[in-house]
């Protein structure tokens, strides 16, 4: 690095090591069509899934495009308010802005009738007793506090039903080891069903789909 | 280089605000429109590349959810640039040069409506020396316009002529946001917005999306009667600091135009990404266009200016006019950064 | 038309730290780029084009920061390109840069990737509250920890595997002078006793947040041959690949994503690798949480499904194992997000060039660099070798 020669008038001035330049920008977000329809259901204490066509996956909450088809999801299907924990983690960290009492459990919950888990909190059970396969149900805020947000469901709690011990994450249902090499052979695109052409997938891999 | 052509182009109608749709919903008609025009699905595409930016969306990783628009399953070969879609097209063109794939999908989108665009764009400036001043994009463009006027290279009347012609041509563009028929004199009678710019000298703020399909050689010929072949494409950048540049010229555009081979033939049409009227005058000079070239028949950025997208649209507008026989050879230009900091030039040509 | 050969002829990186308060963003990039150019025995004017990669712009609070960095990176009058593919970006940036040469457009390309998370609040940048979007209750760890739990359940891996990975990578990091975390006193027990942040992920099994940059100089066959003639071994790029899949899909397997396996299969085919475990000499893979080592070993074809953890347990992935993994200390020691992928690619290149210093593995002929991003959905890989492809 070349030496920087300061003019005499600046030689005794303390060097600036950092500056703080706070910036604030305000945004007005719009949820879009699919999310608006989902949130409208929430205000009725209903959990509404959406599909692109009668044979495609039911997404909760739909985010605008079926991610396999790249298509809008006009079909609405009410799903159950009970589901199964497919996986979870116990959080011991006071996460910025969450205001949660620790430890708490954040879980992937596959609602009955939906094809993909939602992430939500598990409460009303000690964190160390939460299990994969546990059946849980939605606990809503008081009616007066229901707003168009998924947080109108405060958390999920155990239903007391027997565990679903065979539960798998959705991708695993459609083929354990789908993204790994079996017998030294790499999977290919045909390992999974192509939702547009119906090609690919086998009884072993993707048979359920 | 390998022969690569634009074979399909689709865009959403430009609007000031698209509040009823989120980004992926706004984008889907463009993506599917471009694919359907050439009877393709994502399964026929070898590589997908997109352009967008988080600062307009106001959220990190905003491009991740918009990838759902193409239906990337089974997994696809894909990339994203935090640049205008014209540069995404450049990346796809490079990838096609490797000879491993024959088709590519390029898309771009932006909703500027969630934020205050001129203020958002101040976050591009040097964060220590200029950013804290919140110098907005229109004011910076006005400084450039002042330089141009003071240099004697152009007059306010020249700028008003650009505005009058662009907005009148936009009447023929069903996707335009701002189109009208008014005389240059009428425009000159307007009050200044940020002097020497009048409101009419400035591009509108737009929400919109666009998509292009590229194909190589015989694949392109099999899909469309008259592919718009990319004969040259190049892009160059300059320092962001306005004090380090002669704002009355566009040195980076001139280099890119030279490398892209603009001067190798007659230019029938040019679509220039000039969000401010005086910038069209600078670009025309920098690219070396004569008066026999029709500039911005779509109305250009003055008719609609979706950020991250307007540069890609310029390429699509030229390609469409070549494919439908209106033109044989054309130039498309895209820009990024304050006062034409970074520029891309594409030369497109049809076969007879 | 066709594919020109490309090689890495210069590698540079910064000292990575939690806060590099001694340099600006431009200074950080020039530190890495200057070292890469010096390594390549080139100057700024030798560079034909610059390709920049970084993760979300909110990390530094500058929109499209390559624009203000253009002159600091010597780009005036040259092509400058900016890639953003989430956490895989450091890898995909290097791939985009290599294609500018393999397509025959340029001879010498500088590629730089960085993150200076201390300039802004990274946690804030990742959790801008969007009113109607379901909240992530605990950041990236809270997103990935359930996937790790799924892997453990599926593979029946014992609890200590994650801790073994953390111990190995932190010990490797001690040999790397550029690594952010240098923890000479770390032990298996200290990892075990560290706080369980996102059960099953402990604090000591988690990557740090770093300021840092990495730069590579890529050259055409002619440029690389000249370097070789002067005794500087090029790292020849024998294959590159990228794959993407959706974040929230009912079809995909988030533990062993198909996109990752397809990416590996593609890049191995290009590099003539038929038996990854045997044909590859060293691997730098993107492991931000320790359990991702066994998961990626399976995803990238080094182990059968459910068996990856046995390689870790047997010491196969140690510096003296038969498939050393993350010789540099990996993401667990150093994580400037945008640069993390390029650091993986760069370490693979250093290994085949024989310039990895104390973390050099003996006689590496072929090495793999791997990066992933988003919700385990964006993948970038390359294979570099001593031999011309």
């Amino acid at each position: 690095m070349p030496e920087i020669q300061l003019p005499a008038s600046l030689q005794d001035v303390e060097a600036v090591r950092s500056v703080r330049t706070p910036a604030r920008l305000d945004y007005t977000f719009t949820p879009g069509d699919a999310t608006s329809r989902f949130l409208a259901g929430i205000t009725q204490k209903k959990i509404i899934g959406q599909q692109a066509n009668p044979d495609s996956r039911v997404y909760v909450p739909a985010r605008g495009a079926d991610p396999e088809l790249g298509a809008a999801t006009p079909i609405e299907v009410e799903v159950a308010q009970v589901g199964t924990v497919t996986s979870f983690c116990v959080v011991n960290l006071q996460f910025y802005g969450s205001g949660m009492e620790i430890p708490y459990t954040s879980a992937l919950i596959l609602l009955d009738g939906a094809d993909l888990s939602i992430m939500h909190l598990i409460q009303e059970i000690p964190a160390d007793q939460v299990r994969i396969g546990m059946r849980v149900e939605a606990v809503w805020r008081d009616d007066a506090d229901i707003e168009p947000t998924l947080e109108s469901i405060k958390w999920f709690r155990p239903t007391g039903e027997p565990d679903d011990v065979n539960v798998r994450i959705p991708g695993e249902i459609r083929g354990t080891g789908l993204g790994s090499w079996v017998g030294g052979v790499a999977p290919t695109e045909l390992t999974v069903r192509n939702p547009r052409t119906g090609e690919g997938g086998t009884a072993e891999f993707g048979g359920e789909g | 280089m390998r022969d690569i052509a634009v074979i399909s182009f689709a865009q959403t109608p430009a609007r000031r605000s698209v509040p009823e749709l989120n980004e992926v919903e706004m984008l889907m008609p463009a993506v599917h429109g471009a694919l359907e025009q050439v009877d393709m699905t994502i399964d026929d595409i070898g590589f997908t590349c997109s352009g967008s930016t988080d600062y307009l969306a106001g959220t990190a990783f905003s491009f991740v959810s918009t990838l759902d628009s193409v239906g990337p399953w089974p997994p696809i070969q894909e990339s994203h640039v935090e640049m205008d879609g014209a540069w995404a097209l450049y990346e796809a063109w490079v990838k096609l040069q490797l000879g491993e794939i024959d088709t590519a999908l390029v898309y771009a989108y932006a909703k500027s409506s969630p934020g205050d665009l001129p203020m958002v764009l101040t976050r591009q400036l040097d964060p220590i020396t200029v950013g804290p001043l919140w110098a907005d994009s229109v004011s910076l463009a006005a400084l450039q316009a002042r330089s141009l006027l003071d240099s004697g290279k152009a007059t306010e009347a020249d700028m008003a002529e650009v505005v009058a012609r662009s907005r009148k041509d936009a009447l023929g563009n069903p996707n335009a946001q701002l189109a009208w028929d008014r005389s240059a004199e009428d425009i000159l009678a307007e009050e200044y917005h940020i002097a020497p710019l009048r409101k009419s000298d400035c591009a509108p703020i737009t929400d919109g999306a666009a998509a292009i399909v590229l194909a190589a050689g015989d694949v392109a010929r099999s899909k469309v009667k008259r592919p718009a072949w990319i004969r040259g494409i190049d892009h160059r950048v300059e320092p962001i600091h306005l004090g380090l540049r002669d704002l009355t010229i566009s040195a980076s555009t001139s280099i890119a135009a030279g490398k892209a081979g603009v001067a190798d033939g007659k230019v029938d049409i040019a679509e220039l990404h000039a969000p401010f009227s005086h910038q069209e005058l600078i670009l025309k000079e920098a690219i070396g266009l004569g008066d026999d070239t029709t500039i911005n028949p779509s109305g250009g950025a003055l008719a609609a200016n979706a950020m991250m997208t307007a540069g890609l649209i310029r390429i699509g507008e030229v390609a469409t006019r070549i494919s439908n026989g209106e033109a044989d050879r054309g130039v498309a230009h895209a820009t990024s950064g304050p006062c034409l900091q970074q520029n891309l030039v594409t030369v497109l040509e049809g076969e007879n | 038309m066709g594919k020109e050969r490309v090689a890495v002829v210069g590698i540079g990186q910064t000292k990575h730290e939690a806060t590099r308060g001694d340099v600006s963003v431009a200074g950080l990039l020039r530190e890495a780029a200057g070292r890469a150019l010096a390594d390549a025995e080139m100057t700024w004017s030798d560079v034909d084009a610059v390709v920049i990669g970084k993760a979300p712009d909110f990390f530094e609070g500058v929109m499209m920061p390559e624009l203000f960095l253009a002159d600091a990176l010597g780009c005036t009058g040259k092509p400058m390109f900016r890639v953003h593919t989430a956490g895989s970006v450091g890898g995909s940036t290097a791939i985009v840069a290599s294609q500018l040469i393999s397509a025959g457009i340029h001879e010498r390309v500088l590629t730089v990737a960085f993150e200076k998370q201390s300039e802004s609040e990274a946690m804030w940048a990742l959790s801008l509250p969007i009113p109607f979007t379901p909240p992530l209750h605990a950041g990236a760890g809270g997103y990935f920890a359930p996937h790790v739990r799924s892997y453990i359940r599926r593979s029946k891996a014992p609890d200590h595997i994650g801790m073994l990975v953390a111990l190995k990578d932190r010990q490797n990091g001690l040999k790397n002078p550029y690594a952010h975390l240098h923890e000479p006193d770390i032990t298996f027990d200290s990892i075990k006793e560290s706080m369980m942040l996102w059960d099953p992920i402990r604090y000591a099994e988690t990557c740090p947040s770093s300021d840092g940059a990495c730069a590579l100089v890529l050259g055409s066959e002619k440029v690389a041959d000249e370097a070789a003639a002067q005794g500087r071994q090029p790292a020849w790029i024998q294959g590159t690949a990228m794959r993407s899949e959706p974040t929230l899909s009912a079809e995909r397997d988030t533990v062993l994503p198909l996109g990752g396996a397809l990416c590996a299969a593609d890049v191995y085919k290009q590099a003539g690798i038929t038996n990854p475990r045997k044909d590859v000499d060293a691997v730098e893979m993107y492991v931000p949480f320790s359990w991702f080592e066994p998961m990626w070993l399976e995803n990238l074809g080094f182990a059968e499904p459910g068996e990856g953890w046995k390689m870790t347990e047997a010491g196969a992935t140690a510096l003296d194992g038969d498939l050393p993994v993350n010789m540099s200390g990996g993401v667990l020691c150093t994580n400037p997000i945008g640069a993390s992928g390029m650091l993986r690619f760069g370490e693979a290149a250093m290994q085949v060039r024989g310039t990895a210093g104390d973390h050099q593995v003996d006689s590496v002929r072929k090495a793999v660099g791997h990066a992933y991003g988003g919700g385990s959905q964006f993948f970038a890989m390359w294979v570099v070798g001593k031999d011309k492809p």
Side-chain angles (χ1 to χ4, degrees):
Chain A
M1 289 283 270
E3 275 299 308
I4 297 166
Q5 290 293 326
L6 290 173
S9 62
L10 290 177
Q11 280 174 5
D12 293 331
V13 176
E14 191 186 349
V16 176
R17 300 207 172 275
S18 70
V19 290
R20 285 188 70 81
T21 58
R24 179 195 170 95
L25 293 170
D26 291 309
Y27 293 88
T28 305
F29 292 107
T30 47
D33 174 66
T35 304
S36 293
R37 289 188 286 121
F38 168 74
L39 294 175
I42 289 288
T43 63
Q44 306 295 313
K45 291 170 70 168
K46 289 178 178 174
I47 305 176
I48 307 289
Q50 294 176 26
Q51 285 176 293
N53 65 60
D55 300 322
S56 65
R57 302 294 176 199
V58 175
Y59 280 99
V60 182
R63 303 186 310 154
D66 174 302
E68 289 93 33
L69 292 166
T73 51
I75 302 172
E76 298 186 359
V77 187
E78 185 175 356
V79 303
Q81 305 201 358
V82 295
T84 307
V85 173
T86 58
S87 195
F88 65 95
C89 73
V90 180
V91 182
N92 290 298
L93 170 73
Q94 189 53 263
F95 188 69
Y96 174 80
S98 78
M100 296 286 301
E101 192 177 319
I102 56 174
Y104 62 91
T105 305
S106 176
L108 291 168
I109 300 160
L110 188 59
L111 297 171
D112 295 355
D115 285 314
L116 183 65
S117 311
I118 61 169
M119 194 168 242
H120 218 303
L121 302 168
I122 305 286
Q123 300 269 286
E124 302 187 34
I125 177 173
D128 61 3
Q129 291 176 27
V130 176
R131 307 169 301 278
I132 291 177
M134 195 170 75
R135 297 281 291 164
V136 293
E137 64 186 358
V139 180
W140 295 83
R141 289 177 182 167
D142 293 341
D143 285 357
D145 299 329
I146 297 289
E147 292 172 46
T149 161
L150 195 53
E151 290 171 272
S152 288
I153 297 174
K154 290 192 289 185
W155 53 69
F156 283 76
R157 69 179 171 211
T159 61
E161 294 169 79
D163 286 3
D164 176 359
V165 293
N166 293 317
V167 73
R168 295 285 183 273
I169 61 171
E172 192 184 356
I173 299 169
R174 296 182 181 109
T176 301
L178 180 128
S180 62
W181 299 40
V182 180
V185 178
T188 71
E189 278 86 354
L190 287 172
T191 302
V192 294
R193 192 180 64 94
N194 181 315
R196 289 168 295 277
T197 63
E199 289 168 11
T202 64
E204 185 184 2
F205 291 134
E208 191 266 359
Chain B
M1 303 308 277
R2 193 179 186 207
D3 286 337
I4 309 295
V6 174
I7 61 166
S8 180
F9 167 56
Q11 59 182 316
T12 61
R15 287 164 51 190
R16 174 63 184 85
S17 174
V18 182
E20 73 279 13
L21 302 176
N22 67 12
E23 274 93 343
V24 70
E25 290 167 338
M26 182 181 74
L27 169 62
M28 273 192 290
V31 164
H32 294 292
L35 288 170
E36 283 161 15
Q37 282 171 30
V38 282
D39 194 25
M40 285 182 168
T41 72
I42 190 69
D43 298 317
D44 302 308
I45 294 295
F47 178 64
T48 300
C49 197
S50 62
S52 68
T53 177
D54 282 349
Y55 259 87
L56 294 171
T59 171
F61 300 113
S62 55
F63 67 91
V64 176
S65 54
T66 48
L67 178 61
D68 288 353
S69 66
V70 307
W73 190 258
I76 62 171
Q77 298 197 51
E78 186 265 344
S79 184
H80 170 262
V81 298
E82 199 86 353
M83 308 179 85
D84 187 285
W87 278 267
L89 182 141
Y90 182 84
E91 183 177 333
W93 175 81
V94 171
K95 178 94 177 158
L96 284 159
Q97 290 303 325
L98 305 181
E100 294 160 348
I101 54 164
D102 295 323
T103 54
L105 169 68
V106 180
Y107 66 84
Y109 65 91
K111 288 181 86 173
S112 294
S113 58
D116 178 349
L117 181 63
M119 286 295 115
V120 171
L121 291 175
T122 65
R123 300 302 89 199
Q124 286 184 337
L125 304 171
D126 184 310
I128 295 171
T129 59
V130 191
L133 302 174
W134 295 83
D136 71 274
S137 50
V138 183
S139 297
L140 295 179
L143 288 172
Q144 183 183 35
R146 176 67 71 200
S147 292
L148 185 70
L149 294 173
D150 286 0
S151 73
K153 292 178 186 170
T155 65
E156 291 185 38
D158 296 333
M159 290 162 59
E161 291 289 350
V162 168
V163 173
R165 192 206 68 235
S166 299
R167 299 266 160 68
K168 190 175 176 187
D169 286 343
L171 288 168
N173 176 359
N175 296 303
Q177 179 184 345
L178 209 51
W180 32 248
D181 187 0
R182 281 169 52 195
S183 69
E185 294 72 30
D186 191 32
I187 292 158
L188 285 169
E190 273 181 35
E191 286 180 18
Y192 287 122
H193 172 47
I194 297 176
L197 297 177
R198 296 170 171 86
K199 278 246 167 171
S200 292
D201 289 306
C202 307
I205 296 174
T206 305
D207 286 358
I212 275 178
V213 177
L214 298 178
D218 289 343
V219 176
R221 289 183 193 94
S222 75
K223 283 290 178 185
V224 292
K225 274 204 186 105
R226 191 167 140 97
W229 299 103
I230 297 173
R231 297 301 190 206
I233 182 166
D234 193 88
H235 65 98
R236 302 282 151 164
V237 73
E238 298 173 56
I240 197 166
H241 301 280
L242 303 188
L244 295 175
R245 294 191 253 155
D246 177 351
L247 295 177
T248 69
I249 61 170
S250 180
S252 54
T253 301
S254 293
I255 301 171
K259 296 275 181 188
V262 171
D264 295 347
K266 180 173 177 293
V267 180
D268 298 324
I269 58 165
E271 282 278 342
L272 309 181
H273 186 190
F276 300 93
S277 60
H278 66 277
Q279 293 178 340
E280 181 187 300
L281 302 170
I282 294 171
L283 290 168
K284 184 182 172 191
E285 186 76 25
I287 296 172
L289 299 173
D291 290 335
D292 56 344
T293 298
T294 302
I295 294 180
N296 288 347
S298 73
L302 291 177
N305 188 36
M307 301 298 294
M308 319 309 287
T309 311
L312 184 68
I313 289 176
R314 303 279 73 73
I315 297 172
E317 292 285 359
V318 171
T320 302
R321 284 169 177 78
I322 287 172
S323 288
N324 70 14
E326 275 178 52
D328 288 328
R329 190 166 181 273
V331 170
H333 159 269
T335 196
S336 178
C339 299
L340 304 174
Q341 186 197 349
Q342 187 178 24
N343 297 282
L344 179 145
V345 176
T346 310
V347 176
L348 295 137
E349 192 175 46
E351 278 170 336
N352 290 314
Chain C
M1 152 180 171
K3 258 183 103 169
E4 306 291 330
R5 293 187 175 95
V6 190
V8 182
V9 296
I11 303 171
Q13 61 184 294
T14 58
K15 173 71 179 106
H16 309 285
E17 288 174 3
T19 301
R20 282 295 307 270
D22 58 323
V23 285
S24 63
V25 172
L28 188 78
L29 290 179
R30 287 183 63 91
E31 186 176 313
R35 284 173 182 162
L37 288 168
D39 186 23
E41 297 189 6
M42 290 186 198
T43 65
W44 291 96
S45 59
D46 293 320
V47 173
D48 298 327
V50 179
V51 183
I52 302 173
K54 71 174 298 305
D57 293 356
F58 289 111
F59 278 143
E60 289 80 15
V62 184
M63 177 183 188
M64 301 157 74
E66 63 282 359
L67 292 171
F68 97 87
L69 295 165
D71 51 344
L73 286 172
C75 298
T76 301
K78 294 178 182 175
M80 181 194 73
F81 205 84
R82 160 72 192 286
V83 180
H84 179 14
T85 60
S88 65
V89 64
S92 33
T93 302
I95 290 174
V96 170
S98 75
Q99 289 172 349
L100 294 176
I101 298 172
S102 52
I105 298 164
H106 298 302
E107 295 269 338
R108 298 170 185 82
V109 175
L110 171 68
T111 182
V112 194
F114 75 99
E115 213 70 68
K116 200 159 188 287
Q117 297 187 55
S118 68
E119 301 261 325
S120 176
E121 292 286 340
M123 285 292 199
W124 168 83
L126 285 179
S127 35
L128 298 175
I130 309 293
F132 37 78
T133 302
L136 266 184
H137 300 112
Y143 178 84
F144 288 113
H147 301 157
V148 167
R149 183 181 298 276
S150 284
Y151 171 76
I152 294 171
R153 177 173 187 249
R154 199 192 288 193
S155 67
K156 302 180 177 63
D159 184 51
H160 64 265
I161 299 300
M163 294 181 271
L164 289 178
V165 173
L167 182 64
K168 168 184 70 82
D169 284 4
R170 293 276 158 67
Q171 285 178 336
N172 287 354
L174 290 172
K175 299 176 190 294
N176 178 358
Y178 297 104
H180 170 182
L181 294 185
H182 283 145
E183 298 182 339
D185 300 327
I186 196 164
T187 62
F188 181 83
D189 287 336
S190 73
I191 295 168
K192 190 173 184 179
E193 283 154 22
S194 73
M195 189 178 173
M196 192 63 97
L197 288 185
W198 300 278
D199 192 341
I201 298 177
R202 290 173 177 79
Y203 174 75
E205 297 173 283
T206 304
C207 59
S209 169
S210 316
D211 283 359
C214 180
L216 305 174
V217 177
L218 306 179
S220 64
E221 181 170 15
K222 180 166 153 280
V223 170
D225 282 345
E226 283 166 10
Q230 293 164 13
R232 286 177 285 118
Q233 167 76 46
W236 293 98
I237 298 173
Q238 299 183 341
T240 65
M242 288 163 66
R243 286 295 184 283
S244 306
E245 62 186 58
T247 322
L248 294 170
S249 156
E251 304 292 334
R252 80 186 195 102
D253 183 346
T254 44
V255 176
L256 295 169
L258 182 60
L262 296 179
C263 188
D266 186 356
V267 79
Y268 296 160
K269 189 176 174 201
Q270 295 170 46
I273 292 168
T274 53
N275 180 343
R277 177 82 185 264
K278 191 168 130 292
D279 299 343
V280 174
D281 300 314
V283 187
E284 273 281 319
M285 55 173 69
Y286 202 107
V287 177
F289 303 103
S290 59
W291 280 97
F292 276 83
E293 174 173 302
M295 288 159 69
W296 293 147
L297 285 170
E298 295 170 27
N299 196 224
L300 305 186
F302 296 111
E304 296 285 318
E307 305 284 315
W309 61 270
K310 294 177 185 169
M311 284 179 68
T312 300
E313 189 175 50
T317 59
L319 211 46
D320 59 356
D322 72 82
L323 186 77
V325 173
N326 292 342
M327 300 69 70
S328 71
V331 182
L332 282 174
C333 290
T334 306
N335 187 34
I337 299 179
S340 285
M342 193 174 286
L343 287 166
R344 309 283 73 72
F345 280 41
E347 173 71 19
M350 284 162 68
Q351 290 289 337
V352 298
R353 294 176 80 208
T355 58
D358 290 345
H359 48 106
Q360 178 69 46
V361 173
D362 286 343
S363 55
V364 175
R365 296 210 76 80
K366 262 188 207 308
V368 169
H370 163 268
Y372 88 96
S376 297
Q377 66 185 122
F378 300 113
F379 304 93
M381 293 179 72
W382 79 8
V383 175
V384 284
K386 264 197 164 62
D387 307 311
K388 245 187 222 190

